[in-house]
Amino acid sequence: PAPGMESLPEAVLIRILASIPAVELVLVCRLVCCQWKNLVDGAALWILKCQQEGLTRAESDAENWQNFYFLSKKRKNLIKNPCGEEDLEHWGEVENGGDGWKIEELPGDFGKEFPSEEVHKYFVTSYEWCRKAQVIDLRAEGYWEELMDTTQPKIMVRDWYAGRSDAGCLYELCVKLLSENEDVLAEYKSETVTIPEDNDASWTEISHTFSSYGPGVRFVRFEHGGQDTLFWKGWYGVRVTNSSVTVEP
């Protein structure tokens, strides 16, 4: 009989397998035989796929190249409508103190342009507390249970806030990692940031990275908000935009 693929040198077989889409490698090719299973579970195949697609990491950081590949391909901002382009769409548990939330165009009155030209709008608060939240379902976004429980990839949270130069304001950020039953497994709560009147209206980034948070994380709950400190009618409170939650490779 003619020689089959099992007679190919392993290095050649890895090159052939590397041309196959990653999901098919895991769901189909891995089940063909013991040799293919070992190759799909091994590092060499995924190192090659990462090289082919320009996904780089330090060799010393390599624990699971397959997880690194999938996390790199999936990496995106999990917050929907982070800059108000869709009004308040996707934001829940909205608290509309004072005159409530409003979306304005950058730079706004007594404001400054955002550091990135890709951001055009922001949310602005009023004279009583305004809060809004978004809950991210990690499984629905493709982050499976074993990955979250075993690898526990870092979860990076970022937000941007600013005041008007003619009004003082307050800002808060609270992010929780939740279990299946929405028990709090880890939490980051900023201090209440006070921006004084006569500030320079510059945008400030706040960030936090969750790591080694333990098994069971299924949801991320992101909440932020604020108000002005002068109690002026209208929208003189803190401005927020470009919020993000990313699962890092």
Side-chain angles (χ1 to χ4, degrees), residues 33-212:
C33 63
C34 287
Q35 182 191 22
W36 286 30
K37 177 181 182 297
N38 291 335
L39 291 178
V40 173
D41 289 346
L45 171 59
W46 298 99
I47 290 173
L48 180 57
K49 282 192 77 66
C50 287
Q51 289 172 345
Q52 289 175 341
E53 299 184 35
L55 307 176
T56 58
R57 74 190 296 190
E59 199 76 37
S60 58
D61 293 339
E63 291 182 12
N64 187 319
W65 280 90
Q66 183 183 132
N67 283 349
F68 172 77
Y69 177 87
F70 279 107
L71 286 169
S72 298
K73 297 294 283 186
K74 284 180 177 296
R75 189 178 184 277
K76 64 175 183 177
N77 185 4
L78 300 177
I79 292 283
K80 295 178 173 63
N81 185 26
C83 304
E85 296 290 347
E86 302 171 71
D87 198 50
L88 284 169
E89 190 73 23
H90 304 296
W91 292 96
E93 304 174 55
V94 176
E95 181 179 341
N96 279 309
D99 287 323
W101 286 97
K102 185 183 180 186
I103 289 90
E104 295 180 345
E105 298 269 352
L106 279 156
D109 292 340
F110 295 90
K112 281 190 176 176
E113 288 289 357
F114 192 75
S116 168
E117 293 182 358
E118 296 175 3
V119 178
H120 306 290
K121 294 184 178 182
Y122 58 83
F123 303 91
V124 59
T125 58
S126 191
Y127 59 86
E128 291 179 352
W129 270 98
C130 296
R131 291 184 176 88
K132 59 187 176 69
Q134 213 171 115
V135 177
I136 297 161
D137 183 337
L138 292 169
R139 281 175 302 192
E141 296 291 347
Y143 299 99
W144 58 99
E145 287 93 335
E146 183 184 0
L147 176 74
M148 298 308 301
D149 294 348
T150 305
T151 303
Q152 294 176 33
K154 291 178 181 178
I155 298 174
M156 173 72 81
V157 177
R158 294 184 178 90
D159 201 18
W160 288 82
Y161 63 88
R164 296 170 55 118
S165 61
D166 63 342
C169 59
L170 305 175
Y171 165 83
E172 285 182 0
L173 170 67
C174 181
V175 185
K176 299 176 181 178
L177 305 187
L178 306 176
S179 70
E180 181 75 42
N181 299 319
E182 300 192 3
D183 299 318
V184 179
L185 302 180
E187 180 177 9
Y188 168 75
K189 194 172 186 348
S190 73
E191 61 180 357
T192 301
V193 178
T194 302
I195 300 175
E197 201 174 344
D198 300 321
N199 66 89
D200 65 2
S202 61
W203 286 93
T204 300
E205 183 183 38
I206 184 171
S207 66
H208 178 74
T209 302
F210 292 97
S211 61
S212 303

